[in-house]
Amino acid sequence: MPVEFLTDEQASRYGRYQGDPTPEQLTQFFFLNETELTLIAERRRPENELGFAVQLGTLRFLGTFLQNPLDTPLLVVAHLAQQLHIEAGQFTKYAVRSATRHSHRQRIIAALDYREFDRFQTFRLIRWIYAQLALSASRPSVLFDLATAHLIQQRIVLPGVTVLARLIARVRERFTARTFQGLSQRLSPAQKVTLNALLVLPEKDWQTPLERFRTPPTRVSTAALFQAIHRITQIRDIGVSTIDLSDVPESRQAVLVRYALTVRVQLIERLGEDRRLATLLVFLQHLERSATDDVLEMFSQVMNELALRGEAKRRRERLRSLKDLDQAALLLRDAVAVLLDPDIQPEDVRALAFERLGEAPLRAATLTVQELASPDADPAPEVLSGAYATVRRFLRSLLVTVAFSGTAGARPLLDALAFLKRMDELGGGKPRWDEAPRGFVPKPWERRVFPGKGEVDHQAYTLCALDRLRHALKRREVFVERSQHHGDPRAELLHGAAWEDVRDDVCRALNRPLEVRGELEALRLELDHAYREVERNLLQNKALTLTVHSGQTRVRLTSPEALDEPPSLQHLRAQVAARLPVIDLAELLMEVHTFTGLADAFTHVADGPPRMSDLPLSICAVLLAQACNIGLKAVARPDVLALTLSRLSWIQQNYVRADTITAANARLVDAQDELPLAQAWGGGEVASADGLRFVIPVRTIHAGWNRKYFGVQRGVTYYNFTSDQFTGFHGIVIPGTLRDSLYILAGLLEQQTRLDPQEIMADTHGSSDVVFGLFALLGYKFSPRLADLPDQRFWRLDREADYGALDDLSRHPLDERLIAAHWEDMLRLAGSLKLGKVGAVSVMRTLQRGGSLSSLGRAVAELGRIEKTLYLLNYVQDEAYRRRILRQLNRGEQRHGVARAVFHGHRGELRQRYREGMEDQLGALGLVVNAVVLWNTRYMTAALDDLRHTGQRVLEEDIARLTPLLHEHVNMLGKYDFTLADEITGGCLRRLRDPNTLEAYLEQIKL
């Protein structure tokens, strides 16, 4: 592998000073102790003493020696010269004496207990690199930084930059070749032939088998579901599903899968034999898991559509029969009136009713009511009653192809599915229907499934089993083998020896004791204090009102009045906006790249170095096309090589994907965090979460219904997280509008930026007792904006405490024994989440729905009720706290406004069929919005400096209320030009606008 993987920044940073050290670094690395002063005093000349000290401090700080000592910052030389009472100018004499420097080098290495990078250390480093590669598929540039840090930690003098880069490239290439060879050797000759045949285009066909397999379904129908099930069978028939790949790191498998998913089949065919077979082996196992997820998603949507159709039919029939039902009800009303008439003797009631109303009409009315009035609270049995013929089309294939397992509570359902599978088997030996398992049938279904004693309606039985299966999959009570999203979450939790090894570290990281009694006592005191503080300040809290409704005390809270904007803030906002330069979005992206290296985060899917010029230009064009939803043709230019349509299409296919977008976004978030103006808005410890809805007008299985947001079409929710510095640090694509609380924790645990939010705000639909509990266990604070405050329950730990006016409000006692009984399991769950052993979404589904971890889920929810009550008491007590929540949520909504303005093409509709495409395009949208935020923040800083320079008064409290979520000065329409002026490319800022111009004046009026 060539060593061009190093960026210019990495090469220039390696073994060199990057500006002056900080005061803390001077103290840590360049302070000379008594032993070192004695060693330095052995030198005969002052310049040798100072040079020896400089080299000593340099080795301690950089891990190596400078080839040119004159590159040492003057601050370092002066700092050491002051300690030695030597003139700093003496160092120049020492710097030109290479022989003296070389002799001092060995003495310094011995004094600091360092070792030279000799053959033995090279061998040790090679072994360390092999160990790193066995754990993860780190890119060469990342591995270079890790190796540098490792050598410094081990006190080994850093080798030359080329030596280390070539060593890493050589070891990585050798390890990769051995990995490919090891994987290909697990295949039999017949399996190798079968895998290679996947790349051959059959005669009179337009797709190779591999292309056909990796194309996921888009239509939701029973026929499409049957084809999707058949796709799993075809993948399994290749015969590589059972090959054990557990020793191959998931990150390395992900690299191979990403390559096989992205590139054309012809490129896979051109790979070396070992690499080609290894790629196909890993990819096909991944493909089986993703195909299984597609089948389960389609099954859920098919059952939903059957239920919706049945409900529509039920309502139509009910409307048609409403007149008959009314007539029968009126007749029976008259009969009951006869029964209740006190003037009629009991023995005469029957005869009189028949005489007045007639026996036949009464019997007919009774039959009509019995037929039309449903006693079932759950309409599922009725709405699915006509769907048996539809589900029969895929039932046998589904039960034969997909292997279900589950919790103990799901055992009756699993037995019923096994029974239906045996009933559909060909040949003799089928069980009888009276042997069918009955424990899974809920009460609403019993009347239809078991119409008489010993009778079983096989159609209703089948429909009931499939309806229960749909709900059990959603609740994670039923699991599926070889599935990415529906696997058993219990198997991923830390347990046994693995938990014992990390238990103490997890407890320290979570700041939670293993003994629960002290924790519960601390919570009891905190909760008691919070109740008493609210009760003590009840009269002074004008916003809080206690009301009694149906004999129960409830709280009502008046909304805080909007804060008045002082004239100074209005003036400052207008002046800053008027100074922001007008810029095209294309230029903005290129300018942001010049000072962040935005495009450098995009690497080729094969992890190779870039071999083309103007790569940042092409990447910025693709990002703009995706973020603006306008397609590549709108930004392509045939006269510019970097912007030709074919090149942009190739860049989009090979460079722009979820992991590179995440890496680029981290650069922008980190750059924003370094700006003083962003620090004035927040330190990155607070964030908010909210969903941005998009209609999907094309056929896809990854969209859901919601009439409120999508009308008669389907759509997705882009659930994104906004920091208090206005940057978005994570986003999740959700089909339809699933409950936000399932995803809110994933944003904190899976984000990959420098920020470390400790408190997150969300709307009501993002909250639940389990969310509060898990946030508390993981050390986070959850602060939602509750719309249903009067309906919230307040809980207590001390059953005997008297909280005065709040006593009835706090009438709900907590079961602390449940928390104590599951405390270690709760810590184990939190540790598994913290270490990334289990997905947050899977855990949230399981805990909230009472699935496999039902008892543990109740314990987490019980802890969550404590934390939720503490939050509620603080919420009703502190108006500043409520305003802070509202302010942060408003930042997220303002960010959505900018995102809508950017995503203007195709009427703002997302036209992606596959989930990967949705994630890539919406990730690009979030990235471009962050670029706008960062660009605005830089120029707002310059505008504030300009205002101060002109003598205008700028208040810090007004600066804190400014926002970089402005886009009126950014042109997102028209012709896109990605060229930059030379001074802007060199890092200079654009000239600010003159606020006295007509254009700026008109913008101030608009503001």
Side-chain angles (χ1 to χ4, degrees), residues 117-137:
F117 188 73
D118 53 18
R119 180 174 298 180
F120 177 69
Q121 298 302 334
T122 302
F123 175 73
R124 291 186 62 190
L125 181 60
I126 290 174
R127 291 181 59 186
W128 181 85
I129 296 174
Y130 267 109
Q132 294 298 310
L133 291 171
L135 294 175
S136 65

Side-chain angles (χ1 to χ4, degrees), residues 5-6 10-16 59 62-67 105 109 114-126 128-129 143-171:
F5 62 80
L6 285 183
Q10 279 183 300
S12 63
R13 190 176 64 233
Y14 180 80
R16 299 180 185 177
L59 177 61
L62 298 178
T64 188
F65 298 95
L66 293 177
Q67 291 185 353
R105 172 188 176 116
I109 290 175
Y114 269 69
R115 287 156 290 178
E116 290 278 11
F117 188 73
D118 53 18
R119 180 174 298 180
F120 177 69
Q121 298 302 334
T122 302
F123 175 73
R124 291 186 62 190
L125 181 60
I126 290 174
W128 181 85
I129 296 174
L143 200 58
F144 182 89
D145 289 339
L146 292 174
T148 302
H150 173 75
L151 291 173
I152 293 175
Q153 183 182 18
Q154 297 296 316
R155 292 177 173 268
I156 298 170
V157 180
L158 294 179
V161 61
T162 306
V163 173
L164 183 58
R166 287 179 175 172
L167 178 65
I168 289 174
R170 186 171 67 250
V171 174

Side-chain angles (χ1 to χ4, degrees), residues 644-678:
T644 60
L645 185 59
S646 59
R647 171 158 166 169
L648 294 180
S649 178
W650 186 82
I651 291 290
Q652 180 174 274
Q653 186 179 31
N654 291 277
Y655 282 85
V656 181
R657 56 188 184 276
D659 60 314
T660 54
I661 291 173
T662 300
N665 193 61
R667 294 194 178 203
L668 301 188
V669 173
D670 295 347
Q672 177 80 352
D673 184 50
E674 293 174 356
L675 297 178
L677 180 56

Side-chain angles (χ1 to χ4, degrees), residues 425-441:
E425 288 178 352
L426 301 177
K430 294 182 180 179
R432 300 192 309 272
W433 276 105
D434 57 2
E435 300 174 353
R438 299 178 172 227
F440 76 98
V441 180

